[in-house]
Amino acid sequence: MQPRLDVFSTTDTKQFLDRLRRLVMDEAATARFAIERIWSRPIPTRVAEGHAIEGVRIQFLDRDGYLHLMCDRNVSRFREGDILCLNRGDPFQMPQCMVTLELEETPELIVSVNPLEADIAIMQREPNGWILDEGFLDLSAYLLDALDEAGDTAIGRERILPLLMGNLRPTMDVPHYERGLALGESFALNWSQTEALAQAYATNLVYLIQGPPGTGKTMLAS
């Protein structure tokens, strides 16, 4: 049985939202501080500790919008899906932009870049002497906007906030779950993908699918 909206105290909801906002801002500040401590170290130290790749060269931007880079040596800890900062030696100064590492096969590196945050044409005029540092993606503004929307909209007050507060729980329908398993098998999904599809298909309200890059999340969602 799902609880009624008027069961929840407006004061409790406001306090809960305020705590979430503080948590978002505190986590963003902590992450930014940790990255800036790394950026403040000399380049040789960042490279030796696996936090940077030096001697990066910009090759070209392909038709799909991916930026192809080259490097002579890569001893970093970076893996596909990591957010990195492409810069000219000082990540605190422009030109610099945040990129996502899509493919790491030294000496080639392929990254995706937001064209709204970087002028690729200008960057290609100076193709040599770039550095890839550990990056930071600050999503706090988007999260704060989402929390505001949750507090201001009917679906936020009736579904999202009760779910986050633990006052409303999703339920699963067994026949729908079995139907989801059959669908996954018909689509030739592997077991993990089939299980995720069946759980999402059978669960009302909300179901979270998560996993590392390359596990088929986007394909499953489509």
Side-chain angles (χ1 to χ4, degrees), residues 11 18 42 44 46 68 74 80 85 122 127-128 169 182 191 208:
T11 300
D18 288 343
R46 303 202 305 267
H68 291 243
N74 178 8
E80 295 172 7
C85 178
I122 293 178
N128 300 318
R169 298 184 181 277
W191 170 247
L208 174 65

Side-chain angles (χ1 to χ4, degrees), residues 13-110:
T13 301
K14 183 179 183 303
Q15 291 175 346
F16 179 75
L17 282 171
D18 288 343
R19 288 198 301 272
L20 284 183
R21 292 188 184 100
R22 288 195 298 271
L23 176 62
V24 167
M25 292 185 289
D26 288 347
E27 286 196 344
T30 299
R32 185 77 188 185
F33 177 74
I35 287 295
E36 290 181 348
R37 285 188 62 185
I38 294 173
W39 287 355
S40 298
R41 298 168 186 164
I43 292 176
T45 302
R46 303 202 305 267
V47 172
E49 293 178 348
H51 294 299
I53 304 173
E54 62 180 343
V56 175
R57 302 182 298 277
I58 296 177
Q59 298 295 102
F60 63 93
L61 185 70
D62 67 24
R63 294 180 179 179
D64 296 322
Y66 293 105
L67 190 63
H68 291 243
L69 311 172
M70 295 287 287
C71 67
D72 296 326
R73 183 169 177 265
N74 178 8
V75 293
S76 72
R77 305 175 182 179
F78 302 151
R79 296 296 180 266
E80 295 172 7
D82 286 351
I83 303 297
L84 307 177
C85 178
L86 182 62
N87 63 87
R88 297 286 297 173
D90 185 351
F92 290 101
Q93 301 293 329
M94 299 299 290
Q96 61 101 295
C97 65
M98 297 298 169
V99 300
T100 302
L101 182 59
E102 302 291 346
L103 179 66
E104 187 264 328
E105 292 183 352
T106 306
E108 183 180 35
L109 304 164
I110 299 178

Side-chain angles (χ1 to χ4, degrees), residues 105-173:
E105 292 183 352
T106 306
E108 183 180 35
L109 304 164
I110 299 178
V111 300
S112 57
V113 57
N114 185 344
L116 299 179
E117 297 178 358
D119 192 325
I120 302 299
I122 293 178
M123 294 169 64
Q124 288 177 308
R125 294 174 191 169
E126 294 185 272
N128 300 318
W130 292 86
I131 288 182
L132 277 172
D133 273 286
E134 190 169 333
F136 168 61
L137 185 61
D138 186 357
L139 298 176
S140 58
Y142 299 99
L143 294 174
L144 292 173
D145 286 345
L147 289 176
D148 289 340
E149 186 174 351
D152 293 338
T153 61
I155 191 172
R157 294 190 299 270
E158 295 172 8
R159 177 178 297 186
I160 297 174
L161 290 178
L163 281 167
L164 293 176
M165 296 173 72
N167 296 320
L168 186 62
R169 298 184 181 277
T171 58
M172 188 185 74
D173 180 78

